C-alpha cells in the first residue's frame, strides 16, 4: 500500500511546492507594484492622482493635434495620421516602463537610501523590479485609454480591427509588453554600477527607440544602414503588428515590412522576447554580483 500511495503523495507535495512558489512570487510583485504606485502618486489621494493621470495624456494629445493639423499641413493624410497616432500610443508603454524600472535604483539608492534593506530582505530582487515597473504600466494604460478614446471621438482615427483579430492583438500586446519589461530589467542592471547621472541612459535609449523604431515616421525613411538595425529591435515588430491589427490591414505605409506577413512578425517578436528573457536573467545576476563584489550596491553618488 505504501508503494501504491507514495507517487500520489510526491505529486501532491510537488503541486503544493509549485503553488507556494507562485504565491510567493505573486506576493513580491504585488507588494512592489503597490510601493511603486505610492511613489508615483507621491502618496496622494487616488482620485486626485487619477484626475492628473487623465489630464496628462490629453495635454500630449493637443501636441499631436498641433503637429498633425498645422506642422504637416497638406501632407497629413489619413493613413499617415493613423500610423503616427498608433505609434505614439504604443510608445507610452515603451517610455514609461523602461524609464520607470531603470529609475528604481536611483530612487531607492540615492533618494530614499533603502536599497540595502531591500537587498538583504527575503525577496527575489528580479521580481521586485518587475513589480515596481507595474506602477508605470498602470499609468501608461490610463494614458493610452484616454488618448485612444479622444482620438476616436475628436480625430480621424479609424479602427478596422475585426473580432477574429482580437486574440492575435491581445497576444502580441502581451508579448511586446513583456519584452519591454525585460529591456527595463537590463537597463536596471546597468544602473547598479552607474553613478547618479546614469538616469540619462534610460532617456537616451527611449529616445533612440522613438526615432529608430518607427514611432513617428516609417523606418523606410531612415538611412539604409539604420533600417537594418531598426528591423531587429522587438519594439519595431510590436509597433508594426499593432498597427496592422488595429487598422485591419496586411501592410502599413512603412515599406520595410512589405512582403513580411503578420504571423512572421509575431514569430520574430516571440523569439526576440525569449532571448531578452534569458539575457535579462543572466545579465541582471552578473551585474548584481559585480556591484556586490565592488561594494557599491548602496553607495550614494550625490553631488
Amino acid at each position: 500500500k505504501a508503494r501504491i500511495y507514495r507517487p500520489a503523495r510526491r505529486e501532491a507535495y510537488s503541486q503544493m511546492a509549485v503553488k507556494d512558489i507562485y504565491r510567493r512570487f505573486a506576493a513580491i510583485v504585488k507588494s512592489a507594484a503597490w510601493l511603486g504606485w505610492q511613489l508615483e502618486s507621491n502618496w496622494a489621494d487616488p482620485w486626485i492622482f487619477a484626475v492628473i493621470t487623465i489630464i496628462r495624456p490629453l495635454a500630449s494629445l493637443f501636441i499631436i493635434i498641433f503637429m498633425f493639423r498645422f506642422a504637416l499641413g497638406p501632407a497629413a493624410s489619413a493613413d499617415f495620421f493613423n500610423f503616427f497616432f498608433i505609434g505614439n500610443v504604443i510608445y507610452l508603454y515603451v517610455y514609461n516602463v523602461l524609464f520607470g524600472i531603470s529609475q528604481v535604483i536611483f530612487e531607492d539608492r540615492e533618494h530614499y537610501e533603502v536599497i540595502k534593506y531591500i537587498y538583504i530582505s527575503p525577496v527575489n530582487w528580479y521580481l521586485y523590479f518587475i513589480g515596481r515597473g507595474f506602477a508605470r504600466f498602470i499609468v501608461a494604460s490610463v494614458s493610452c485609454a484616454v488618448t485612444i478614446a479622444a482620438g476616436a471621438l475628436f480625430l480621424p482615427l479609424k479602427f478596422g480591427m475585426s473580432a477574429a483579430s482580437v486574440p492575435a492583438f491581445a497576444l502580441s500586446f502581451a508579448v511586446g509588453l513583456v519584452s519591454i519589461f525585460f529591456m527595463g530589467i537590463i537597463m536596471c542592471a546597468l544602473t547598479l554600477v552607474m553613478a547618479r547621472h546614469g538616469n540619462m541612459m534610460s532617456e537616451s535609449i527611449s529616445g533612440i527607440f522613438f526615432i529608430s523604431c518607427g514611432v513617428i515616421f516609417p523606418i523606410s525613411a531612415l538611412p539604409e544602414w539604420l533600417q537594418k538595425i531598426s528591423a531587429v529591435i522587438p519594439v519595431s515588430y510590436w509597433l508594426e503588428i499593432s498597427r496592422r491589427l488595429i487598422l485591419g490591414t496586411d501592410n502599413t505605409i512603412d515599406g520595410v515590412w512589405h512582403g513580411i506577413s503578420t504571423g512572421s512578425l509575431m514569430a520574430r517578436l516571440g523569439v526576440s522576447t525569449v532571448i531578452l528573457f534569458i539575457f535579462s536573467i543572466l545579465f541582471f545576476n552578473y551585474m548584481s554580483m559585480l556591484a556586490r563584489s565592488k561594494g557599491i550596491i548602496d553607495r550614494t553618488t550625490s553631488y
Side-chain angles (χ1 to χ4, degrees):
K1 292 183 179 179
R3 292 180 180 178
I4 294 176
Y5 291 112
R6 188 175 297 168
R9 290 179 179 176
R10 289 179 179 176
E11 183 178 355
Y13 290 151
S14 63
Q15 291 178 354
M16 291 176 62
V18 171
K19 290 182 180 179
D20 183 61
I21 293 174
Y22 172 76
R23 290 172 182 172
R24 289 177 58 188
F25 284 1
I28 294 172
V29 174
K30 181 180 178 181
S31 300
W34 175 86
L35 176 61
W37 176 261
Q38 296 298 326
L39 293 174
E40 283 295 320
S41 61
N42 197 21
W43 283 271
D45 183 88
W47 292 107
I48 296 177
F49 186 68
V51 173
I52 297 174
T53 305
I54 293 174
I55 293 176
R56 187 185 303 169
L58 290 178
S60 301
L61 186 62
F62 286 135
I63 298 176
I64 294 177
I65 294 174
F66 176 82
M67 294 176 64
F68 181 72
R69 294 293 186 184
F70 301 102
L72 297 179
S77 63
D79 291 339
F80 185 80
F81 171 77
N82 291 329
F83 183 94
F84 176 81
F85 189 89
I86 295 174
N88 275 272
V89 170
I90 299 298
Y91 182 76
L92 290 173
Y93 288 101
V94 178
Y95 175 78
N96 279 278
V97 174
L98 282 181
F99 186 80
I101 295 180
S102 62
Q103 287 299 300
V104 172
I105 294 296
F106 301 117
E107 291 179 357
D108 291 354
R109 184 181 67 191
E110 309 284 346
H111 185 63
Y112 299 104
E113 298 184 5
V114 296
I115 195 169
K116 58 184 176 182
Y117 305 111
I118 298 173
Y119 184 78
I120 64 176
S121 62
V123 299
N124 186 293
W125 223 17
Y126 185 96
L127 293 178
Y128 170 76
F129 291 118
I130 291 289
R132 288 291 298 270
F134 266 97
R136 285 295 188 115
F137 163 73
I138 295 173
V139 173
S141 297
V142 175
S143 301
C144 179
V146 172
T147 304
I148 290 179
L153 292 174
F154 305 109
L155 296 174
L157 178 63
K158 303 298 181 182
F159 291 95
M161 183 185 298
S162 61
S165 300
V166 173
F169 177 78
L171 177 62
S172 64
F173 182 84
V175 175
L177 186 62
V178 167
S179 68
I180 299 302
F181 270 90
F182 295 151
M183 290 183 188
I185 291 293
I186 293 172
M187 293 174 58
C188 183
L190 285 172
T191 58
L192 280 172
V193 295
M194 288 186 176
R196 190 172 184 177
H197 56 265
N199 59 359
M200 293 184 294
M201 176 192 65
S202 58
E203 296 182 356
S204 300
I205 294 179
S206 298
I208 292 173
F209 287 163
F210 187 76
I211 295 175
S212 62
C213 293
V215 177
I216 56 175
F217 47 77
I219 296 177
S220 56
L222 298 173
E224 187 174 353
W225 64 270
L226 187 55
Q227 292 181 24
K228 297 179 181 179
I229 299 176
S230 301
V232 297
I233 301 177
V235 178
S236 302
Y237 304 144
W238 187 22
L239 289 172
E240 179 65 15
I241 294 170
S242 299
R243 289 184 175 113
R244 289 185 180 187
L245 296 177
I246 291 175
L247 300 177
T249 180
D250 294 332
N251 290 295
T252 62
I253 62 174
D254 197 342
V256 171
W257 307 116
H258 289 178
I260 302 177
S261 65
T262 304
S264 177
L265 289 174
M266 293 186 68
R268 295 183 186 185
L269 178 61
V271 171
S272 60
T273 301
V274 172
I275 294 174
L276 282 174
F277 171 64
I278 297 173
F279 180 74
S280 67
I281 293 178
L282 298 176
F283 188 69
F284 182 81
N285 290 334
Y286 172 75
M287 298 304 285
S288 298
M289 291 187 294
L290 182 63
R292 180 176 179 176
S293 64
K294 292 180 176 290
I296 59 176
I297 288 180
D298 61 338
R299 185 185 67 180
T300 59
T301 56
S302 302
Y303 49 83

